Every structure is written in C-alpha cells, then in structure tokens.
Amino acid sequence: MLRDAVRSLAEAKIAPYAAAVDEEARFPQEALAALLGGDLHAVHVPEEYGGAGADALATVIVIEEVARVCASSSLIPAVNKLGSLPVILSGSEALKKKYMTPLAKGEGMFSYCLSEPDAGSDAAGMKTRAVRDGDTYVLNGVKRWITNAGESEYYTVMAVTDPAKRSKGISAFVVEKSDEGVSFGAPEKKLGIKGSPTREVYLDDVRIPADRMIGEEGTGFATAMQTLDHTRITIAAQALGIAQGALDYAKGYVRERKQFGKPIADFQGVQFMLADMAMKIEAARQLTYAAAAKSERGDADLTFQGAAAKCFASDVAMEVTTDAVQLLGGYGYTRDYPVERMMRDAKITQIYEGTNQVQRIVMARNLP
C-alpha cells in the first residue's frame, strides 16, 4: 500500500517536473510541496514528535519510489533523515522535541555538515572549531558538499572541541540557518542531482547555546559514523530507485522501437541485457531491504550490511543506467529522454556518504 501510494504521488506530482528541475538546476519545489502534502518529507520522525514513525524499511521504500522518477527529489526525505538522525540517536529529549517537531510539521528541512575542503574520506581530519565560552559555543569553519544547504533550516554540524584528541575531540551541534554568522557559498555546478543544491556552509563566529550540543562533548564523530551506518541504506534505496526507473523506461522503449521489421525487444541480445539489468536490481533490492531491517533492529552486523547495500546498489545503478542509455541508442544520449539524466544522477550514489572504495574498507574491517 505504501509503495502504491508513493508511486502514484511521484508519477502524478514529481515526475512531470523532473526534466525541468534538472535542466534548470533548480530546487524541486513541486516535489517538496507534494511530499509535504503526503506527509512523506521526513517519514522517519517518531510519532511522539508528530512524525509518521516509519521504520527503516518504509523509509527506504519512500526514497526508492521518489528516486525512480526524480533522484534530486528523493534527497528531500533522504537528507532529512541524514541531518536529523544524529539528534534522534544521541540528542537530549529537549533537543529532540525542539527540532524533530518542526521537521515533522514540514516547517524546516535538516542538512548534515561533516565534509570539509580538506576532510572528505578522512572526515576526522576536519578543522571546523567549536570553542566553549560560558554557556555558549562559538563555531568557526567551512563545510563543503552540503546537500540542500541554503534550503534547510537546520544543520547538524561536526566541529572540533579538543584538537589533541582527533576523532574523540569532535562534537556535534545543531546550527540554525538564522544564526548570526551562518552563510552559504554558490551552488556547485554538478554532473547530476542538479535539483538538489550543494553548497559550502560558512560559520563565522557563530555563537550558539551550549544545550544545542548533540550528546556529550567528544562523541560527535562516533555519532556521525553511527548515523552513516543507518543512512547509507537510504543511498542504496536512492540508487535502487534510479536503476528501476531506467529499466522501466528502457523496457517500454524496446517494445515500441522497430528495426529489421520487428520490435528490438524480440532480439535475444536485447533480452539478455534486460534480464541482467532486472536480475541485478532485484539482488540490490534484497540486500537493501535486508540492511533496512537490520537498521531497524540495530543488528551487530549493521555496519557491514549498510556498506554492502550502498556499495552494491550504487554500482548496479551505474551499470543499469549506462545499459539503459545503450538500449535507447542515439536517443538515449539526448536530453529528450530521461535515461541520460538517470545515468548522470546514478554516479553520485557511488561517491557520497562514503565512496565505494571507502565502503569496501568498511566492509573489510567488519567482515561478518
């Protein structure tokens, strides 16, 4: 029922704008309005804060179905989870009430500020500082590659509180867009997901109350890594949706396109390509859904399974979308058809929330 509801909404209210959102590199306001209207913008927020209380699998299905028609739009529910999960996992009850309630109501989105110009895969090498001053902290630094920056009201920011302790000297904070000293860079000019703005976030003497710290001082990096164990599965879901959208389009195309007097779907070479695409998508789906169940239960092997789902599903998405372009031939290479957009959008799923090379390191360190 959930899948049917999200698919109907996505096809009616998000899909018609997907090409324009990509072409104009603009935030998908229509998708945001549709998701807010269906209470699908942040389904993971627990019911006690006014949220839908969706479990990890339901959240995955929402993201998958939105990504099937528009990858940029699927980053609304995905990044709302990424940005707010540190508060849910480690925040005080007061902090959860203060920020989860408006998120659930759709009064503001949440973004996640971990990466910096010199701290990507080596996130513990960050330089953003948070210095205690009485009952406040003063933050200074630059965060890079921040999804939905400028659109979101709330930002989970990782900052160094004790430089001598490296990863154990990093703390997490909630910063608000309206806080004095918060500003944003120009949107990055990206290959794909062009409807989801990616900007730098500048923190210049941003003074915030000490009670906006998420968890204890020095626990921020552990919270950040724990968050990624859960949210990598949402990237797997996004990759899955992109791949499914590409297969669905290619399937319809090959049945209509005639060469040598018959539909190209009748040729065994084309059939084998479609069969491989469908088989790999289904394998990715099973891995992703199993990982979502582990996320919900908090299983001991979640770190491995989350990394495996993200890595496998994103590699499948890149392969499937490339094959979809191939199946459409010259038409696949034009912006008149959606598969070239899907191919461009798929690439980022192999890179963000940890490159697939980093995922393999994570898996190797956590072999079950």
Side-chain angles (χ1 to χ4, degrees), residues 171-205:
S171 303
F173 301 87
V174 179
V175 172
E176 299 181 11
K177 181 181 178 180
S178 57
D179 288 334
E180 200 174 331
V182 176
S183 61
F184 305 96
E188 302 287 350
K189 298 183 173 84
K190 305 190 301 286
L191 174 74
I193 56 160
K194 292 184 176 185
S196 177
T198 307
R199 295 186 177 95
E200 286 190 326
V201 176
Y202 305 120
L203 305 160
D204 298 304
D205 288 331

Side-chain angles (χ1 to χ4, degrees), residues 201-216:
V201 176
Y202 305 120
L203 305 160
D204 298 304
D205 288 331
V206 178
R207 187 178 292 274
I208 61 169
D211 63 9
R212 287 220 222 137
M213 180 182 278
I214 302 168
E216 300 297 313

Side-chain angles (χ1 to χ4, degrees), residues 62 91 118:
V62 170
D118 296 318

Side-chain angles (χ1 to χ4, degrees), residues 183-311:
S183 61
F184 305 96
E188 302 287 350
K189 298 183 173 84
K190 305 190 301 286
L191 174 74
I193 56 160
K194 292 184 176 185
S196 177
T198 307
R199 295 186 177 95
E200 286 190 326
V201 176
Y202 305 120
L203 305 160
D204 298 304
D205 288 331
V206 178
R207 187 178 292 274
I208 61 169
D211 63 9
R212 287 220 222 137
M213 180 182 278
I214 302 168
E216 300 297 313
E217 189 167 302
T219 63
F221 191 75
T223 296
M225 294 302 104
Q226 192 188 352
T227 296
L228 294 176
D229 283 347
H230 294 277
T231 58
R232 279 176 181 142
I233 300 159
T234 67
I235 303 304
Q238 184 186 45
L240 190 55
I242 296 168
Q244 188 66 58
L247 173 62
D248 290 348
Y249 195 88
K251 209 165 52 179
Y253 178 86
V254 298
R255 287 171 180 155
E256 300 289 322
R257 172 74 172 164
K258 290 195 167 105
Q259 290 290 276
F260 307 102
K262 58 182 175 179
I264 61 171
D266 289 354
F267 292 98
Q268 199 173 52
V270 169
Q271 291 171 0
F272 281 7
M273 281 177 76
L274 289 165
D276 279 344
M277 291 158 79
M279 174 178 67
K280 286 169 184 170
I281 289 171
E282 193 51 41
R285 181 172 286 114
Q286 297 301 329
L287 191 56
T288 302
Y289 288 9
K294 286 176 181 294
S295 164
E296 191 61 29
R297 292 191 300 261
D299 286 1
D301 58 349
L302 172 62
T303 301
F304 175 88
Q305 296 287 351
K310 188 269 191 199
C311 187

